[in-house]
Amino acid sequence: MSFIDGDLTMPTRIRGFTEGIPPRIDSLRYCNRCMILFNNDYRGKANQSRFGLRAACPVFFIVALEKESDNSIESEWTLTNNDLTVSRIQISYSSRGEVKLVPFTMYHRLPVLLFLLCITHISGCEQPKSEPGQSTDSQVAPVIKANRSSTQATAKPSPFQFVDIAHQSGIDFTYYGNPSPQHYMVEQNGGGVALFDYDGDHCLDVFLSNGSHIDRPAEKAGEAHRLFRSTGKLPQELQFENVAAAAGVERSDFGMGVACGDYNNDGFVDLYLCTYGKNYFWENNGDGTFSDITDTTLTGDDHWGASAAFGDLDGDGDLDLYVANYVEYSHEDPPCYLTISSQRVKISCGPIGRIAEQDLLFENRGDGRFVDRSESAGIIQPTGGKGLAVQIVDLNRDGLLDIFVANDTSDNFLFINQGNLKFEEQALVLGVAVGDQGEPQSSMGIACADFNRNGLLDLFVTNFENAANDFYEQLEVGGYVTTNSRLGLDTTSRPMLAFGTIFADFNLDQWPDLFVANGHIWDLSGLGTEHEYEMTQQLFYNQQGKRFQDVSQNAGPYFQSKFLGRATAAGDIDNDGDADLLATHEIKPAALLQNESPMQGKSVRLRFIGVKGPREPLGCTLKVVTGDVEQILVIPAGGSYQASSDPRVIVPAGNATSIQSLVLTWPDGSREEWNDLPIQREWTLIQGTGQ
């Protein structure tokens, strides 16, 4: 389902947005989002996020439903004088179609409400049909009637250039566990990735989690997780060697997401691995080796862990741990099938109909042990969440770290930190629970940045094929609004199935750009559909906070090839002052994308060390002033998809010779300022050395 853009500008008042926040927005544009703004109560959740529109003149809509033979639409609209309130809108369908919402402004008070319902038949995918004893809870693979060339930029010079140097630099890794003939559900997620400096030499090392097969264990194939240590002299020489065996992390598992953090504040970064099975916690011994402390820390959760992130969530000076769990699944469950053009095809099952696993929050006690505080902290939700990615960051600028979780086919979570390790789930109230179509999406990856430099952090979430990736733009009054179409991110994403995603200023022009990893979970390419299995990866150029332009086509050979993109992490891998990418795939080798883009300015790389708080202030925000530009930047804590990125912060400085002002909000809420930091170098800023 998709909404076409209208262009509607009017005085607007949003009532009941959230208690205590002035409920006013001066104008509202692109009324394909109006359905969500008018009513996020479409599922009847009482007293949560009911929006009403007050306009200077009545506004009417034509709703057109196309390209489906068996869809139905139910709607109830209330028009009272100059008030238009959508009291309920419910859309049900057996396969995905298109719903067009067209705004009309009536300047005369005519009691007219027009609906146009146009239904045309198309052939497409059917819901999986069951046989006795067989599961059918798979997602539907949509048939897309779209010009796929529209997902690529026209042939013009790209502001970005990347070169894949994985092989020549020594990163020789291909994820083990590509789909078997049995199409087990656990095979489709791919492995995780981490960029972190585990040996303290100021060069990024790489951890890549590997996969397996249920019926062909990885131990038999000799495949295992990899730890690549940087051995070259940077930035001139980038070289890695696999030291997983010597370091003690060469295990064979269904590896998923990776989290990095110095949990005991000893100066050495530790490693947490999610798996389909028991998770693992490795303590960095400081001598190039790791010790398994899973049992002693009490963090060995044996559910299907997808992603994790460290952050000082209670402000007590050490890093706590959040684990996003997925669904209940057993390889003994019945298989799933999809019927396309009368042909019945076995596929991996989807999350629909499966019981969601509860996420976990582990409090760091500071004595080597963690305690499960999930219930007391407010993390346990009635229906669970089917989590795939987690981002820890102070979204509302109150000095406390919040938690955003991307959930697959269920509402996303936004846990607002109330202090004292108490959280309130407010995703629906604040407008980030569902997508632009007003329904839960197959959310997989997360990116967070202040894309338009207005001092507010925005969220970008990747979704399934035929559903736009969601851009949640934060409002001054609080809450978020989806602005996919206005920013040019709607039609470019609908043909794609997206996983990992990264915000980074790739050309140092002081506007954060966007990378999206794409690739399907089902190979239906030979069945007469327009479905693509392997897909091109995407780079979006930030046009000064107004729109994003897809410039992938001419950004290098990697972006002209197709992959099953999965986890992606960002960091200054070659220490030359700009952001590089490490991207993983199924079937094909991982890519180390060295950034060779023409730079539009200079940069400073920052590393922070806490003394009173955690040694690594993960998830904290910076306010940086260079010249006449003010930026809000984030120290990464989770995000993307099953990934952990470089915790060092690259500050694009333009043509400035120094950072005039830098203010860091530490995890305990205290703020510290540094002034007049020269650029073109790395600074290590220790808590207490500023003002």
Side-chain angles (χ1 to χ4, degrees):
M1 182 178 62
S2 62
F3 299 106
I4 66 171
D5 282 340
D7 190 358
L8 180 65
T9 301
M10 69 190 85
T12 307
R13 184 174 297 274
I14 296 179
R15 301 190 301 272
F17 191 80
T18 187
E19 190 174 358
I21 296 178
R24 177 156 184 87
I25 298 179
D26 293 331
S27 65
L28 181 67
R29 297 179 63 84
Y30 298 91
C31 220
N32 62 316
R33 306 295 171 259
C34 290
M35 179 176 286
I36 300 172
L37 284 174
F38 298 166
N39 178 42
N40 256 356
D41 194 25
Y42 65 99
R43 283 166 297 163
K45 296 190 178 182
N47 301 319
Q48 294 191 43
S49 191
R50 176 173 291 275
F51 300 96
L53 173 71
R54 181 178 298 275
C57 52
V59 181
F60 303 90
F61 298 87
I62 293 177
V63 179
L65 179 65
E66 312 182 318
K67 300 183 178 180
E68 283 297 332
S69 60
D70 54 353
N71 289 11
S72 63
I73 182 168
E74 301 175 30
S75 60
E76 297 177 4
W77 300 72
T78 302
L79 183 64
T80 305
N81 200 10
N82 287 340
D83 283 326
L84 177 65
T85 301
V86 180
S87 59
R88 188 180 121 205
I89 187 157
Q90 178 183 352
I91 298 173
S92 59
Y93 53 91
S94 64
S95 59
R96 298 179 185 268
E98 293 186 357
V99 176
K100 297 186 177 182
L101 180 65
V102 185
F104 287 79
T105 303
M106 302 293 190
Y107 291 92
H108 302 284
R109 297 184 178 182
L110 302 175
V112 179
L113 186 63
L114 302 175
F115 288 93
L116 175 65
L117 186 64
C118 301
I119 303 176
T120 58
H121 176 75
I122 63 168
S123 61
C125 306
E126 301 176 9
Q127 286 279 12
K129 298 180 180 180
S130 63
E131 292 185 350
Q134 293 179 329
S135 172
T136 62
D137 57 359
S138 175
Q139 297 160 291
V140 176
V143 176
I144 300 175
K145 299 287 186 179
N147 182 4
R148 291 187 178 272
S149 65
S150 66
T151 65
Q152 295 288 354
T154 57
K156 59 178 68 175
S158 172
F160 310 130
Q161 288 294 316
F162 287 84
V163 179
D164 182 5
I165 61 169
H167 180 72
Q168 67 192 66
S169 66
I171 295 182
D172 183 15
F173 177 85
T174 301
Y175 177 78
Y176 180 87
N178 303 320
S180 65
Q182 288 72 29
H183 294 280
Y184 296 117
M185 185 178 177
V186 73
E187 297 170 345
Q188 64 192 23
N189 286 18
V193 60
L195 290 173
F196 69 128
D197 179 13
Y198 89 94
D199 55 2
D201 65 352
H202 295 268
C203 299
L204 291 178
D205 310 298
V206 175
F207 181 87
L208 290 159
S209 69
N210 221 326
S212 183
H213 282 317
I214 291 174
D215 56 352
R216 190 169 59 137
E219 289 88 345
K220 296 182 181 179
E223 295 293 338
H225 312 309
R226 303 284 181 85
L227 175 62
F228 293 96
R229 183 174 69 90
S230 177
T231 61
K233 296 181 179 179
L234 302 183
Q236 292 80 15
E237 180 189 13
L238 191 60
Q239 199 66 37
F240 295 88
E241 63 174 346
N242 180 25
V243 297
V249 296
E250 193 179 46
R251 285 192 51 84
S252 298
D253 304 283
F254 278 96
M256 302 287 168
V258 187
C260 299
D262 185 0
Y263 90 98
N264 56 0
N265 292 330
D266 66 351
F268 297 98
V269 184
D270 311 297
L271 196 62
Y272 187 86
L273 174 66
C274 297
T275 78
Y276 173 65
K278 181 181 179 180
N279 297 344
Y280 288 91
F281 200 157
W282 287 298
E283 181 179 349
N284 191 334
N285 298 317
D287 59 359
T289 67
F290 291 81
S291 296
D292 186 350
I293 58 171
T294 310
D295 294 337
T296 58
T297 57
L298 308 176
T299 57
D301 178 51
D302 60 358
H303 297 94
W304 185 348
S307 293
F310 285 103
D312 186 3
L313 297 169
D314 53 6
D316 67 347
D318 48 38
L319 295 178
D320 309 297
L321 176 66
Y322 189 99
V323 179
N325 286 324
Y326 195 34
V327 297
E328 292 186 6
Y329 172 75
S330 170
H331 68 278
E332 298 178 350
D333 292 348
C336 294
Y337 294 85
L338 193 68
T339 300
I340 301 176
S341 302
S342 301
Q343 185 172 350
R344 194 163 178 268
V345 183
K346 182 185 284 188
I347 59 171
S348 59
C349 295
I352 296 176
R354 297 197 174 272
I355 298 174
E357 297 280 17
Q358 294 286 349
D359 293 352
L360 298 172
L361 193 160
F362 293 103
E363 179 193 8
N364 189 344
R365 294 290 301 274
D367 58 0
R369 296 178 301 158
F370 286 73
V371 178
D372 184 353
R373 300 296 191 195
S374 309
E375 186 169 1
S376 63
I379 302 302
I380 300 298
Q381 297 297 300
T383 60
K386 305 178 184 178
L388 283 177
V390 55
Q391 176 101 44
I392 294 176
V393 62
D394 179 11
L395 287 170
N396 58 0
R397 301 163 294 163
D398 66 351
L400 302 174
L401 297 180
D402 310 302
I403 306 167
F404 180 76
V405 183
N407 290 323
D408 193 358
T409 69
S410 59
D411 287 10
N412 300 324
F413 293 151
L414 176 51
F415 295 105
I416 299 298
N417 198 332
Q418 308 297 306
N420 299 318
L421 208 63
K422 302 290 185 182
F423 293 84
E424 184 176 326
E425 205 291 295
Q426 297 184 11
L428 189 64
V429 174
L430 297 178
V432 295
V434 298
D436 69 333
Q437 302 170 358
E439 62 178 359
Q441 300 276 39
S442 298
S443 300
M444 285 170 280
I446 306 168
C448 179
D450 178 11
F451 87 102
N452 56 3
R453 300 201 318 228
N454 67 350
L456 304 172
L457 291 175
D458 313 293
L459 293 166
F460 178 78
V461 179
T462 59
N463 294 318
F464 206 80
E465 184 181 38
N466 213 29
N469 297 330
D470 285 306
F471 199 103
Y472 299 108
E473 185 175 343
Q474 189 171 173
L475 305 172
E476 285 284 353
V477 297
Y480 298 78
V481 60
T482 51
T483 54
N484 314 332
S485 291
R486 178 171 65 82
L487 297 177
L489 296 170
D490 193 291
T491 58
T492 57
S493 63
R494 289 189 181 277
M496 303 298 187
L497 198 167
F499 283 87
T501 183
I502 295 290
F503 268 125
D505 185 355
F506 293 119
N507 63 348
L508 301 180
D509 65 353
Q510 301 182 298
W511 298 98
D513 311 296
L514 190 61
F515 171 87
V516 180
N518 301 306
H520 220 290
I521 59 175
W522 304 321
D523 186 3
L524 308 175
S525 55
L527 299 176
T529 72
E530 296 185 24
H531 164 93
E532 286 189 344
Y533 187 40
E534 294 183 296
M535 298 177 173
T536 53
Q537 316 302 285
Q538 292 174 298
L539 270 174
F540 294 95
Y541 172 51
N542 186 341
Q543 298 179 302
Q544 298 185 348
K546 299 176 182 176
R547 286 183 69 86
F548 286 89
Q549 178 187 3
D550 187 348
V551 295
S552 315
Q553 189 175 8
N554 297 302
Y558 174 82
F559 292 95
Q560 298 171 4
S561 301
K562 296 183 178 181
F563 303 90
L564 299 179
R566 293 297 188 262
T568 305
D572 191 359
I573 302 174
D574 52 9
N575 280 355
D576 66 348
D578 54 44
D580 310 293
L581 294 168
L582 184 65
T584 69
H585 324 109
E586 293 199 352
I587 300 178
K588 294 180 180 178
L592 176 56
L593 301 174
Q594 189 173 35
N595 190 349
E596 296 187 353
S597 306
M599 296 300 154
Q600 304 302 306
K602 303 174 182 178
S603 69
V604 177
R605 191 170 58 244
L606 302 176
R607 178 171 173 257
F608 296 93
I609 297 179
V611 176
K612 301 176 184 178
R615 186 175 177 89
E616 292 184 298
L618 303 178
C620 293
T621 57
L622 320 174
K623 184 171 74 172
V624 181
V625 178
T626 53
D628 58 353
V629 175
E630 182 176 297
Q631 304 171 77
I632 302 296
L633 304 174
V634 177
I635 302 174
S640 190
Y641 169 80
Q642 301 189 166
S644 184
S645 291
D646 184 2
R648 302 174 301 177
V649 178
I650 298 172
V651 180
N655 294 319
T657 58
S658 67
I659 295 177
Q660 296 163 248
S661 171
L662 184 156
V663 179
L664 172 68
T665 302
W666 293 95
D668 63 359
S670 63
R671 290 173 170 83
E672 188 169 2
E673 182 174 357
W674 289 265
N675 302 107
D676 300 323
L677 299 175
I679 63 169
Q680 297 288 81
R681 58 170 293 177
E682 176 176 307
W683 285 94
T684 297
L685 302 178
I686 302 172
Q687 188 176 15
T689 61
Q691 304 177 21

